[in-house]
Amino acid sequence: MIRYIIKRLLMMIPILMGVSLIVLIFIDIAPGDPARIKLGNRATEEQIQELREEWHLNDPFLTKYFTFLGNAVRGDFGRSYNNNRPITTEMAQRFKYTFVISVLSVLLSVVIGIPLGIYAATHQYTWKDNAAIALSLLCISMPAFWFALILIRFFSIRLGWLPPQGIESWKGWIMPTISLALGYTALITRQMRSDLLEVIRQDFITTARAKGQTEMKVLYRHALKNAIIPIVLIIGTLFGASLGGAMIAEIIYSVPGLGSYMLSGLTARDYPVILATTFFMSTVFSIVILLIDVAFAFIDPRIRSQYSRKKVNKEKVLKGVGQ
């Protein structure tokens, strides 16, 4: 298992290098001059070129790329073109908001999605199952930004229960969490229903019923224990995706997270901010996927047995060589 983790960590290096390379290529070919945007139309050409030299915009492409990688390894992402503040400090202050929204939205989707999927699977081909499927399809097809605006119109403007923007109190977290969790709940519901129906048809479930165990015990002790394993992988993937998906909620509800920070960088052609936030989010996503894979290996006994067999086979080979 240790070798597997080390191998996955080493695989993250070319992935992050590739992500930063692709982002830098798009930045290099994108129209717009950040120096001209910063100084305005009244600036002279000499002033613009002086600022470009200060920001190293005239450096060759590979020089900018390897300079960024070298600084990123040390945790230094430079300063923002917009406000000249350290980007590392800005991201550290803003990441907590994105992290909280992601965690709350995934937890909400799990709390609602898993029971709804179980309920649909245990009432297969009934109107209850059809209603759960229709509801999940509606949720997964509904645009997140549109649903977020509907929440503002209903709960803020019409009822006045929740603040339309800001997170000054706990009420400010409710609508961003719900708007982000809507699609995730639908995915977990559909996956839970599909996995549980597949497990229920297995022979060991028939054997458990033949032993006289109650249907509730068969469902929760045998079927659910095996059906929940793929859901762990789905939850981890959704958590990683929610870090990027939180951008919509942060923009609509004025949450000072990484999503709104990245949008401000894109608007102002703030290249260091764009590179830094993309690199950081890719790193966090890769780490989350690694943790989920490790947890999946511990939860699923079949994967643990594969590692144990490899270890036993290696010991046999070494023993045979020694003889």
Side-chain angles (χ1 to χ4, degrees):
M1 183 62 70
I2 300 299
R3 295 181 60 184
Y4 171 74
I5 296 175
I6 295 175
K7 181 180 179 181
R8 288 296 306 272
L9 288 174
L10 293 177
M11 289 175 59
M12 287 173 54
I13 298 176
I15 292 175
L16 296 177
M17 291 179 63
V19 168
S20 57
L21 178 62
I22 293 173
V23 174
L24 191 59
I25 289 175
F26 280 106
I27 286 176
D28 196 60
I29 64 177
D33 188 352
R36 191 178 297 276
I37 295 175
K38 179 69 175 180
L39 295 177
N41 296 328
R42 295 184 179 181
T44 62
E45 190 64 28
E46 291 77 10
Q47 292 175 329
I48 294 174
Q49 291 302 322
E50 182 180 354
L51 187 58
R52 287 183 61 86
E53 289 293 336
E54 181 183 346
W55 287 349
H56 302 282
L57 295 175
N58 295 326
D59 292 349
F61 177 81
L62 292 179
T63 301
K64 292 188 288 187
Y65 175 65
F66 287 108
T67 300
F68 169 77
L69 289 180
N71 294 332
V73 171
R74 299 193 300 269
D76 180 16
F77 294 103
R79 291 181 174 271
S80 170
Y81 291 165
N82 191 26
N83 52 25
N84 200 31
R85 294 178 181 175
I87 297 177
T88 305
T89 305
E90 287 281 336
M91 290 195 303
Q93 294 174 352
R94 293 172 177 267
F95 177 67
K96 58 184 179 182
Y97 300 106
T98 303
F99 181 79
V100 170
I101 292 178
S102 300
V103 170
L104 292 177
S105 61
V106 173
L107 286 178
L108 181 61
S109 62
V110 169
V111 171
I112 299 176
I114 290 181
L116 191 59
I118 296 173
Y119 186 80
T122 53
H123 296 80
Q124 188 181 15
Y125 301 137
T126 64
W127 69 269
K128 301 174 184 178
D129 182 28
N130 295 331
I133 294 176
L135 182 62
S136 62
L137 288 175
L138 177 64
C139 293
I140 201 171
S141 60
M142 189 180 301
F145 71 91
W146 181 81
F147 184 67
L149 295 175
I150 292 297
L151 291 178
I152 293 176
R153 180 175 179 82
F154 186 76
F155 289 103
S156 298
I157 299 176
R158 179 168 297 182
L159 298 178
W161 291 353
L162 301 174
Q165 292 181 335
I167 49 173
E168 286 76 13
S169 64
W170 62 271
K171 293 182 179 180
W173 296 97
I174 296 178
M175 289 196 295
T177 300
I178 294 176
S179 62
L180 191 60
L182 181 69
Y184 303 153
T185 303
L187 288 174
I188 293 177
T189 300
R190 291 169 58 85
Q191 187 67 35
M192 185 74 251
R193 177 185 180 276
S194 176
D195 294 338
L196 189 58
L197 287 176
E198 183 178 353
V199 172
I200 287 176
R201 299 188 182 100
Q202 299 297 321
D203 294 336
F204 72 93
I205 298 296
T206 305
T207 304
R209 287 171 175 165
K211 290 181 179 179
Q213 296 185 4
T214 63
E215 192 66 24
M216 191 68 66
K217 185 178 293 186
V218 170
L219 177 64
Y220 289 98
R221 179 173 293 183
H222 300 285
L224 187 58
K225 185 184 295 184
N226 290 272
I228 204 71
I229 293 176
I231 300 298
V232 175
L233 184 60
I234 297 295
I235 293 172
T237 305
L238 289 179
F239 178 75
S242 66
L243 294 174
M247 178 187 296
I248 298 176
E250 291 174 4
I251 295 171
I252 294 177
Y253 296 105
S254 298
V255 179
L258 282 181
S260 56
Y261 188 52
M262 182 185 294
L263 179 65
S264 65
L266 288 170
T267 305
R269 298 294 192 275
D270 200 339
Y271 296 161
V273 171
I274 300 173
L275 267 174
T277 51
T278 306
F279 185 86
F280 180 76
M281 298 295 282
S282 302
T283 304
V284 174
F285 184 81
S286 301
I287 293 174
V288 169
I289 296 300
L290 172 61
L291 294 177
I292 292 300
D293 288 345
V294 174
F296 195 75
F298 280 106
I299 293 173
D300 194 342
R302 294 170 294 183
I303 299 180
R304 291 202 306 268
S305 63
Q306 291 178 3
Y307 285 107
S308 61
R309 283 200 302 267
K310 289 180 181 180
K311 185 176 180 180
V312 170
N313 293 334
K314 184 178 180 180
E315 290 177 352
K316 289 181 178 179
V317 172
L318 294 176
K319 185 176 181 182
V321 173
Q323 293 176 351

